[in-house]
Amino acid sequence: MDVTASLIYIGGLDMKQVRIPSFLHDVFGETQRVGSILAILLFGGLLTAALYFTFPEMTAGLPVWRSALALLLMFDIFSGCIANFTASTSNFYAARKTNRLVFIAIHVHVVIVALLLQADIRHSIAVWVYTITGAFVVNALIGKQSQLFAAGLLLSVGLGCMPLLPEIQPYMLIICTLFMVKVLLSFAVDHYGKATNTGGEG
């Protein structure tokens, strides 16, 4: 298969919509393009694997269950970072304000990962507090033109400050960075302006 045929094939997959089972609506929305699903899963899986093989010290000496759970949560963070940028997932939460607030509130993944990997818990708590606080601020601006600017500003401040955390492990820096992007920008922002067009919470 040559490059042109490959691009046509991938483009065809990206145009094909599939209905998502109800228990996965919080991840993919109600319908999703096949190409988008593949991109989400590949990004999450490949980045998780890259960290696992690049930083063997990350899970060295840990029980298998702790390593497996940490890797699963990392995959969730990485995949969700991309999924929340899709129209289907963004619009799903735009119509369900309560779901969005609950999602933000329960997102403690980065702290749990740090505990599982025995990383510096102070760093993960600092990132978590900043990210969740910022996400609630951004969420409160839904329907206003300033929402995306506020999200971009808060994200830029967070990304600029994280490398300054003393002795933060490089793999935790990557995890914290993607966590912040996922919750503060990818999820908290109504990317397609649907929240202003919906009257209920779905």
Side-chain angles (χ1 to χ4, degrees):
M1 184 180 291
D2 59 25
V3 174
T4 303
S6 299
L7 291 174
I8 293 173
Y9 177 72
I10 294 172
L13 284 179
D14 195 49
M15 291 302 293
K16 183 180 179 181
Q17 293 269 359
V18 294
R19 293 197 62 82
I20 303 299
S22 58
F23 67 93
L24 289 175
H25 282 178
D26 288 339
V27 181
F28 295 114
E30 295 176 329
T31 62
Q32 190 62 264
R33 290 185 174 90
V34 174
S36 297
I37 294 174
L38 292 176
I40 291 165
L41 297 179
L42 280 173
F43 177 79
L46 291 176
L47 185 55
T48 301
L51 262 64
Y52 177 74
F53 289 109
T54 303
F55 303 104
E57 69 276 14
M58 182 173 69
T59 55
L62 294 180
V64 174
W65 72 268
R66 289 183 65 158
S67 300
L69 184 54
L71 292 171
L72 181 62
L73 290 174
M74 288 162 55
F75 172 78
D76 179 84
I77 292 171
F78 301 154
S79 297
C81 182
I82 305 302
N84 294 331
F85 280 116
T86 65
S88 177
T89 304
S90 181
N91 293 343
F92 177 82
Y93 283 102
R96 296 162 176 82
K97 297 177 182 178
T98 301
N99 290 41
R100 188 190 294 272
L101 290 172
V102 170
F103 183 97
I104 293 173
I106 66 173
H107 233 74
V108 295
H109 298 46
V110 71
V111 177
I112 298 175
V113 169
L115 287 171
L116 291 169
L117 298 181
Q118 298 180 337
D120 193 325
I121 192 65
R122 295 170 300 174
H123 294 160
S124 62
I125 290 177
V127 170
W128 175 76
V129 169
Y130 179 84
T131 300
I132 299 304
T133 302
F136 278 120
V137 171
V138 172
N139 182 72
L141 296 174
I142 282 183
K144 296 181 172 60
Q145 289 186 347
S146 58
Q147 189 196 35
L148 185 57
F149 175 79
L153 174 61
L154 290 169
L155 179 64
S156 298
V157 171
L159 295 181
C161 291
M162 269 193 294
L164 302 178
L165 293 171
E167 299 181 357
I168 185 170
Q169 298 96 332
Y171 54 86
M172 282 306 301
L173 180 59
I174 295 170
I175 295 168
C176 288
T177 296
L178 271 295
F179 176 81
M180 188 175 290
V181 172
K182 174 186 178 180
V183 180
L184 185 53
L185 177 64
S186 176
F187 182 76
V189 172
D190 175 25
H191 297 282
Y192 301 91
K194 295 297 184 180
T196 57
N197 299 325
T198 54
E201 295 183 3

